[in-house]
Amino acid sequence: MRFDTPATTSPIDQLKVVGQPTDRIDGPYKTTGTAPYAYERHDVVPGQAYGFVLGSGIAKGRITAMHLEEAKTAPGVLAIVTTLDMPRLERGMMNAAYLFGGPVIQHYHQAIAVVVAETFEQARAAAYLIRVDYQPEAGKFDLAAEALNAPLVGDDSGEGSSGPPEVRVGDFEGAFAAAAVTLDESYTTPDESHAMMEPHATIAAWHGDRLTLWTSNQMIAWSKRSIAKILGIPAENVRLDSPYIGGGFGAKLFIRADAVLAALAAKAAHRPVKLALTRPLIANNTTHRPATIQRIRIGANRDGTITAIAHESTSGNLAEGKLETAVSQTRLLYAGANRLMAMRLAPLDLPEGNAMRAPGEAPGMMALEVAMDEMAEKLGLDPVQFRILNDTQVDPENRDRRFSHRDLVGCLRLGAERFGWDKRTPKPAHVRDGHWLVGAGVAVGFRNNLLTKSAARVRLDHEGVVTVETDMTDIGTGSYTIIAQTAAEMMGVALDKVAVRLGDSAFPASAGSGGQWGANNATAGVYAACVKLREAVTQQLGFNAADAVFSDGEVRSGNRSVALAEAASAGELVAEDLIEYGDLAKTHQQSTFAAHFVEVGVDAATGEVRVRRMLAVCAAGRILNPKSARSQVIGAMTMGVGAALMEELVVDKRRGFFVNHDLAGYEVPVHADIPHQEVIFLDEVDPMSSPMKAKGVAELGICGVGAAVANAVYNATGVRVRDYPLTLDKLINRLPEAV
Amino acid sequence: MRSFTYERANTPVEAAAAVARVPGAKFIAGGTNLLDLMKLQIEAPTHLVDVNGLKLDTIEPTPEGGLRIGALVRNTDLAADERVRRDYGVLSRALLAGASGQLRNQATTAGNLLQRTRCPYFYDTAQPCNKREPGSGCSAIDGFSRQLGIIGVSDACIAINPSDMAVAMRALDATVETVRPDSTTRTIPIAEFHRLPGDTPHLETTLEPGELITAVSLPPHLGGRQIYRKVRDRASYAFALVSVAAVIQRDGTGRVAVGGVAHKPWRVEAAEADLPRGPRVVTEQLLASAKPTHDNAFKVMLVERTLGAVISEARS
Ligand SMILES: Cc1cc2nc3c(=O)[nH]c(=O)nc-3n(C[C@H](O)[C@H](O)[C@H](O)COP(=O)(O)OP(=O)(O)OC[C@H]3O[C@@H](n4cnc5c(N)ncnc54)[C@H](O)[C@@H]3O)c2cc1C
Ligand code: SF4
């Protein structure tokens, strides 16, 4: 089905099932420990041996020798595959780092060997017996130092935010010089880790030259092609299966070392092999969100109208890596006739930087929305009003191109009202509650909506059960549930008459989970397949397709009504289709919007920041399931608090690695850090997005949160911190005198 | 993890003798620290002597009017004990500020005293670390040292002791009771229990090989306001950047011990006389010989401000 004109009315608009706050279908499996995650799939293939991955102990250089004698004779060892056994393997799609093979070390904890043994403990013990001789080389590990010479580079995050090296509209320098009020500040965001709960894990088994990977992966179709490329085998010989994923946040968009090494290990051991990356390997062996250094300049008239806006960002990566597209939201968020956006990429020898929840926008908004707060203060304007004043309904770089639907102002107004924004004391450091300095902050959330093709197959059996098959993944997001809701609505059946099967590369290729594109595109694909199935049903039952109504397990037309199951009485009906898009996303800018309001307390003595309450008002088209959407947004808000207050992969600039590479050193918020969170969705639809009229929310939820926290800290203390995370050491020497 | 042998000891002396007999043997109590370190092969004992069955898990009054806490009393039970809550509130609060409920259920009094540092380089076996591998160098001194020590540090090691419980015990002047493999016993004042790193950061306490902790005794209670203030980057389940254990009397006199700054709970008795004069003078004496790194220089001010908050809480 090609979607190239705005959606009109469809069975989805009945909203009998879609749009309802249904419980997650997979919830009971997860809470009872019966959801089969990759590492626990003991039943899929017999004789599983255990693999343990060894990471490089240096950041850059070469391996000159590996001494395996002791490891080979250790108890239980079945096979050892080392990086010296083969030339460097091809890079996978969208990987910046090479995952295995050859003596060259590109980054710390790069995989250099896998040991296979009868038990996990044996594999681990033997791996520690491998001695490695290295020839280290000096590397570049300091972004600030390299930023000085970093070239302009344009790119695309792979997740929808992008930009050429430089964008110029009007005359930024002239307008900025002439502006009545100006701001010119720099901000930094650190490297961050996805820190999802389930580590990267894979079971691999070969049957002749055919490989099956039971794994934990967000993008099945990409990853199938990618592993085939890395291993040099035909893609049709590979099957990936990933029905449950314990979080990804972008860490599992791509094939990583777990899948490659499980496959190599299984081949070498002539046994199925399971392995997981240990927690200490995840920070340096896999991907992370790259650090940024950002400069923002804003010029405005005295009345607050922005006349000039510039956002420049520098990030670093391995030579073949992408940049963090931290300026892309600034191209679209606020009006202003004179504009400059630029991105620079510094070559670094740290591990691979790649997509993490809202790549580009998340760190970009952390800077932009603090700059907006600073500018509002300079102008003597309320920060909510300042943003409303500079709202735009058109793409500021191309004023003929409108937003498909944009109600950012609605988010800000409703949020301000619900939060009690008018009770905030604008003057910083003026509200005390016991030993807490209390403040409130606001920031806007913005994230683009991406359209990408997505296919599904639907089956109807003689009992009236509708089964959906697509390689779409559920990474804890609720895909199972919204897909079931879509099929139930389309086929006029109750939810318990729908079965959803996901994550298998044998199923039609979907959008996958990334870039907050999963929900809208995957359900639109299921919609398309259901349209076909409805046609097959009406044909089978001899109804006129145009006026047949699918409802309550029946198909009705005029006064004739037949059970849906009847259509499959002579055999299962199967329909498959995909949604693909025309140029509505080109003719119109599709984005999602939010307003985040946060209240914090800052301990007057110690500078500890604790969030007291949070509110997000989101405008993201039709909300397919308010319950799972809310879960997505509160999870994202929580991650935003982490980014604001504590998350940082600390770079050892001498040795070239992330030092705090476990969950004791890399702190993320715990329950005690997260207070009352409220989420409101504006009641809206976006007919340009798809037949579902929905957009994504999962990344929108994190965008702007960090800045709202930072702005609240400023309001509480009068201390402006421009380097994330806002840990107490950055506040303490500037806090008001303790009493 | 290397393979190891395992036995359960029946009496404290047997346990001590068993560890002394087998080279590379260690006691195991709750295992919450030791097992983690074994998995990363930072510790690689050849033999484990399980002390959980030694019946050292009671809390008894002492003839002097204090409390004797068995070495195997779990952190949860110790924190919840009515006498501890009433008379040694600083200890109860320190325990509850540590780790998580699950860990405290398992962690023991002796194990807590002996938990090892959380220096990130200590945890990465590819990095030089004098504590893990004597003579290999210290990665932290010119590296990432935000969490590490500011006082009593050496050129060999700047690591800290991460225990919350020990800081409270230092303020209370607890004593550690032990039995040695030859069945002699001794008591070690807590002030002399942990060592400074010096040239031998791998030696963390004054225990002798095979010496088993049997109990920790608290002297008669001190009354006063008993406060434990732990400062950290997140609200729970994090090690202290700095902590202050204080017992402060009505007249403003009292005791303070500081955590998160040194290889042992840090206390300077001479400084305490100045408590009524406020946090600055006390901190100046407490941290007179401080040698912070660039990363952790903030801890000096943090100690002073946290102490200030504790003193005002005590007065209120
Ligand atoms: C995730 C996490 C978070 C934590 N957070 C905190 C925190 O915030 N604050 C805090 O203070 N602690 C914290 N801890 C540490 C925790 O308190 C310790 O792990 C625990 O107290 C150790 O006690 P255990 O009985 O498990 O010791 P074990 O691991 O069994 O033993 C530790 C050491 O003590 C020795 N040992 C044990 N018993 C005896 C004995 N009777 N005599 C002589 N030697 C003995 C062992 O040989 C071993 O070397 C945390 C731990 C974890 C894993
Ligand atoms: S501070 Fe101590 S524990 Fe840390 S690296 Fe240095 S020697 Fe090792």
Side-chain angles (χ1 to χ4, degrees), chain A residues 365 369 387 412 441-445 594-597 703-705 707-709 711:
Chain A
M365 298 293 289
E369 286 297 288
R387 288 173 170 90
L412 282 162
V442 65
V444 155
H596 290 284
F597 292 82
C703 293
V705 175
V709 174
N711 295 338

Side-chain angles (χ1 to χ4, degrees), chain B residues 229-285:
Chain B
R229 179 69 168 91
K230 181 173 180 179
V231 183
R232 43 189 156 176
D233 287 322
R234 65 181 175 193
S236 172
Y237 205 30
F239 289 96
L241 291 168
V242 147
S243 69
V244 170
V247 180
I248 295 183
Q249 307 297 340
R250 265 174 196 286
D251 60 2
T253 63
R255 302 172 171 194
V256 282
V258 180
V261 295
H263 209 245
K264 59 196 287 187
W266 195 253
R267 184 171 166 204
V268 176
E269 279 85 344
E272 290 166 1
D274 282 323
L275 268 174
R277 293 175 58 203
R280 180 148 304 162
V281 271
V282 179
T283 307
E284 273 166 11
Q285 296 172 69

